Amino acid sequence: MLRIAVCVSGGGTNLQAIIDAIADGRIADTEIVRVISNKKDAYALERAAKAGIEAVAVARTDYPDKQSFQDALLGAVDEAAPDLVVLAGFLVVLPEKMVAKYRKRIINIHPSLIPSFCGDGFYGLRVHEAALARGVKVTGATVHFVDEGTDTGPIIKQKAVEIFDGDTPEVLQKRVMEQAEWKILPETINEIAAGKIKIG
Ligand code: GAR
């Protein structure tokens, strides 16, 4: 059984995609042992509660400085003793200590075809705004291992999604989620659980 901890910051549709895929067997031999949010009001926490998954919020505002926040975050992960940490819309730069401790055991979903529209400042809707502003005709999503950089770790899976005339950032975000993110993230976890993708 692969034990996964899922880190979230917002709506949690990628978390939901994982929950649903475990429920209907598209992800086998996997258990979500904890959901960790850096936002107390993240809807993702409600999704976890509805699915009966233990969830905790570790908010920066509850800690006097960055160091103690980062230590608490790592502590929340360590306590769950996961085999794999999944960043599913987690908009916090990970502590280097955590990256080192969980090397090749942390994966992230990013809503573009890396190396396009990634790195510092590219998250959520901003990624789709940038893709539309540049006028690219194809975008997509990427699952990658997390290293010390922002979106620089080894790429595991990508899926392309077409852009159409008249797309707004919101419309494009929804298409990228439906056609790419909600598919390749569960697929990757299933392949890790099956030993087809090696983790650290
Ligand atoms: C998703 O589109 C995810 O790819 C993106 O944030 C959104 C979270 O949505 N992540 C990043 O931009 C990371 N750089 P969700 O909370 O509904 O899963």
Side-chain angles (χ1 to χ4, degrees):
M1 189 67 91
L2 183 78
R3 296 170 56 84
I4 64 172
V6 183
C7 298
V8 296
S9 296
T13 64
N14 279 287
L15 167 66
Q16 191 67 53
I18 298 167
I19 292 170
D20 293 346
I22 290 174
D24 70 19
R26 280 175 295 125
I27 299 177
D29 296 325
T30 298
E31 182 190 358
I32 303 176
V33 290
R34 178 175 272 191
V35 168
I36 300 163
S37 173
N38 68 309
K39 300 273 180 210
K40 286 179 191 164
D41 60 351
Y43 185 63
L45 290 171
E46 282 182 45
R47 294 182 190 273
K50 278 184 197 150
I53 300 163
E54 194 222 4
V56 296
V58 180
R60 171 70 183 85
T61 46
D62 285 343
Y63 297 90
D65 51 37
K66 190 172 157 196
Q67 186 63 54
S68 51
F69 166 62
Q70 291 191 334
D71 289 347
L73 199 58
L74 180 55
V77 172
D78 283 346
E79 266 170 32
D83 302 309
L84 180 73
V85 179
V86 179
L87 308 185
F90 190 56
L91 306 180
V92 172
V93 176
L94 288 196
E96 283 197 7
K97 218 166 146 185
M98 181 163 156
V99 176
K101 187 164 185 184
Y102 289 88
R103 193 167 299 285
K104 288 265 334 259
R105 287 200 287 148
I106 308 174
I107 61 171
N108 178 50
I109 178 86
H110 183 77
S112 76
L113 294 174
I114 291 174
S116 290
F117 311 114
C118 64
D120 289 342
F122 287 97
Y123 57 87
L125 211 53
R126 291 181 184 209
V127 177
H128 305 293
E129 285 166 359
L132 290 174
R134 185 61 184 86
V136 292
K137 303 302 174 202
V138 175
T139 185
T142 302
V143 178
H144 63 92
F145 285 113
V146 172
D147 66 8
E148 279 76 6
T150 305
D151 303 328
T152 53
I155 291 170
I156 302 170
K157 235 179 229 289
Q158 293 188 303
K159 193 162 191 291
V161 173
E162 263 191 282
I163 294 179
F164 299 120
D165 288 349
D167 275 352
T168 62
E170 290 80 6
V171 165
L172 182 57
Q173 180 180 52
K174 187 157 182 277
R175 189 180 308 123
V176 169
M177 284 175 160
E178 284 173 353
Q179 295 185 5
E181 296 185 48
W182 301 342
K183 293 188 170 151
I184 62 173
L185 186 55
E187 280 169 15
T188 301
I189 295 166
N190 185 49
E191 288 174 30
I192 289 171
K196 288 183 192 155
I197 297 169
K198 295 278 170 242
I199 57 174

